[in-house]
Amino acid sequence: METEKNELVLHTLSESEEETCRLGADIAAVAFPGLTLLLEGTLGSGKTTLVRGIAQALGARNVRSPSFTLINEYDGNIPIVHVDLYRLPKDGGDALGLEEYLLQDSLILVEWPDRWSSPPLADLWLVHFSLSSGGEETTRDVREIVIESRGARATVALKSLAERRRFVERS
Ligand SMILES: Nc1ncnc2c1ncn2[C@@H]1O[C@H](COP(=O)(O)OP(=O)(O)OP(=O)(O)O)[C@@H](O)[C@H]1O
Ligand SMILES: [Mg+2]
């Protein structure tokens, strides 16, 4: 649903780890150097899984959670920077110089971005994961994923993702 000219919201569901990886591959197809994804959601909601899907589709290997290293860099068709700020206190992400990576035209994927007080305002997607509230065995693996774009280029890319997903669902 389109809210403002340079903002768009995409709602989607994933019913398995594999499906979240495939969403990552679709994202990889529309992502551009300089785009930042802020990945929000509780522990185990699928943030690293999505990053793995994105990075592998861009040709990166050895994708793993940077929970201890804070920052992992992967060589892909686009340089990828994977950040996990979970262990840092509030504003602890500010000292890492993440903005530098934007100048280098990387794709930046940040888990626990609430520890970073000054993320970019544009060329940005906010990706929010939540666990399905069902609680049944059959819904245990369901994740609701909402992506909001900020800025003109990020919105065009999100539109492309929405079109791609519609096409995939139809085929
Ligand atoms: N639909 C789904 N999408 C993604 N992961 C799923 C899904 N269903 C079940 N899972 C499981 O949930 C877990 C997700 O782990 P992942 O490391 O991606 O979470 P995370 O959000 O990065 O957590 P953390 O905050 O600890 O970094 C995995 O064990 C995965 O197998
Ligand atoms: Mg993680």
Side-chain angles (χ1 to χ4, degrees):
M1 185 187 67
E2 200 154 357
T3 47
E4 284 176 33
K5 195 163 177 274
N6 291 330
E7 294 184 13
L8 189 74
V9 186
L10 174 74
H11 290 257
T12 189
L13 276 186
S14 162
E15 299 192 352
S16 67
E17 185 172 354
E18 294 69 33
E19 221 180 291
T20 299
C21 271
R22 281 199 297 275
L23 171 63
D26 283 337
I27 290 174
V30 304
F32 56 89
L35 176 68
T36 300
L37 268 61
L38 303 182
L39 306 162
E40 307 167 330
T42 51
L43 287 166
S45 56
K47 302 179 291 295
T48 301
T49 304
L50 187 75
V51 170
R52 197 171 353 105
I54 296 171
Q56 286 177 347
L58 288 171
R61 289 183 200 176
N62 246 339
V63 181
R64 54 188 68 192
S65 178
S67 3
F68 291 96
T69 51
L70 295 182
I71 303 177
N72 289 346
E73 295 182 38
Y74 311 121
D75 278 328
N77 303 343
I78 304 173
I80 302 161
V81 182
H82 180 194
V83 186
D84 187 340
L85 303 177
Y86 181 67
R87 283 167 194 282
L88 298 184
K90 186 174 180 290
D91 301 340
D94 296 5
L96 297 179
L98 297 175
E99 300 80 4
E100 294 291 313
Y101 288 109
L102 286 171
L103 301 175
Q104 297 165 20
D105 273 348
S106 300
L107 172 64
I108 307 190
L109 310 170
V110 188
E111 299 185 44
W112 297 98
D114 55 315
R115 278 74 156 155
W116 183 18
S117 71
S118 54
L121 301 175
D123 289 348
L124 181 74
W125 285 5
L126 308 173
V127 185
H128 186 79
F129 294 73
S130 48
L131 273 62
S132 160
S133 48
E136 301 284 325
E137 185 71 12
T138 47
T139 59
R140 210 182 41 181
D141 291 344
V142 177
R143 306 289 191 263
E144 291 170 27
I145 302 170
V146 179
I147 309 179
E148 285 181 48
S149 63
R150 296 283 187 274
R153 273 192 92 189
T155 299
V156 169
L158 188 55
K159 264 184 198 148
S160 302
L161 177 67
E163 278 156 22
R164 207 180 161 81
R165 302 279 293 170
R166 269 198 289 277
F167 177 74
V168 167
E169 278 162 23
R170 258 191 263 120
S171 62

